[in-house]
Amino acid sequence: MRILIVDDEPAARARLRRLLAAEADVAELHEAPDAPAALALVRALAAPPDLALLDIEMPGGNGVQLAAALREAGVRCVVFSTAHAEHALQAFELAALDYLLKPCTAERLAAALARVRERLARPAAAVGEHWVDGQRLRLADVQWISAADNYIELHLPPRSLLERVTLAEALQRPGWAARFLRVHRSHAVNAAHVQHIERLPGGEALLTLACGATLRVSRGHRAALDQLAP
């Protein structure tokens, strides 16, 4: 594994270095004191780290914001290591693999690394593919996405998959906004699966999808109808 530690406390970075030194499969270990330095380091490396171990509260940008930027830079796994328990829900919404409270024990870190190894053992998703709980799917097969509190449902009739991320966050992923069009506060549609549009009074509409399901286009998203051409 190639690992990046980001923490503004030298003692915290040193502790993680000592614990990781006992792991035989750690091939590279990099560290940075804050978010700007971490991003500059990752961009300068020949290949992005496999894992980023991130603090939350740091100067120059917090770890939650940094996690999203590192994912776009190619970092496959994120684990938070912080003294602040209140950010745990937001961290998992960003698909963090684990959330370690300082000072974490060797056993707790080992458990997090086991999850990282399992994730890295999967092939990286190819362009147009996505992993959900160990299942690889083609985004082209997802007919629509619906919000379910802090989760989304990806609908591939006759089945659907649940993923812990908000609809807004999912649509910020690279390539997702180009494929899925938000037509309602609660759902986004894959335009390629729209078969029929029925315009309703007041600026709303009903979409009929290839599977036969119908979705409502709300008045606030009626501009999306101009991008649909079934």
Side-chain angles (χ1 to χ4, degrees):
M1 285 186 288
R2 300 181 304 277
I3 299 178
L4 169 65
I5 301 169
V6 187
D7 197 307
D8 62 320
E9 299 177 5
R13 297 199 305 270
R15 177 177 175 78
L16 286 173
R17 282 201 312 271
R18 288 195 300 272
L19 293 175
L20 291 167
E23 303 292 333
D25 59 347
V26 176
E28 295 179 22
L29 190 56
H30 305 276
E31 60 181 83
D34 54 44
L39 282 173
L41 174 60
V42 168
R43 289 166 181 159
L45 293 173
D50 300 303
L51 165 65
L53 283 162
L54 307 180
D55 191 12
I56 296 277
E57 299 294 340
M58 298 181 291
N62 68 40
V64 173
Q65 297 165 334
L66 177 59
L70 290 176
R71 285 197 172 280
E72 291 186 5
V75 176
R76 291 186 61 188
C77 303
V78 170
V79 170
F80 287 98
S81 175
T82 178
H84 301 276
E86 65 270 22
H87 297 288
L89 177 59
Q90 190 177 9
F92 285 117
E93 288 174 355
L94 284 171
L97 284 183
D98 213 331
Y99 194 94
L100 308 177
L101 289 177
K102 296 178 180 177
C104 75
T105 64
E107 293 76 16
R108 185 68 184 85
L109 178 60
L113 292 177
R115 301 185 69 183
V116 172
R117 292 184 183 100
E118 189 274 332
R119 172 66 58 84
L120 294 176
R122 306 174 188 169
V127 175
E129 293 183 338
H130 184 61
W131 284 92
V132 181
D133 290 336
Q135 302 180 59
R136 183 168 58 183
L137 56 90
R138 293 191 333 129
L139 290 178
D141 295 334
V142 179
Q143 297 202 18
W144 82 98
I145 307 170
S146 58
D149 294 325
N150 290 315
Y151 292 79
I152 58 170
E153 282 188 87
L154 297 108
H155 299 274
L156 307 85
R159 63 181 178 135
S160 61
L161 297 173
L162 199 64
E163 183 177 7
R164 186 163 188 162
V165 64
T166 66
L167 181 58
E169 290 163 346
L171 294 177
Q172 291 173 4
R173 292 168 171 167
W176 284 52
R179 185 179 297 276
F180 299 105
L181 185 63
R182 192 160 193 172
V183 296
H184 192 278
R185 178 175 57 86
S186 300
H187 49 255
V189 66
N190 186 336
H193 291 279
V194 175
Q195 299 292 305
H196 179 70
I197 300 173
E198 179 186 354
R199 294 181 182 269
L200 303 174
E204 295 189 330
L206 283 179
L207 306 179
T208 302
L209 305 188
C211 63
T214 58
L215 293 180
R216 181 172 292 271
V217 179
S218 67
R219 184 169 49 191
H221 291 84
R222 60 178 173 236
L225 292 173
D226 296 333
Q227 302 179 51
L228 296 173

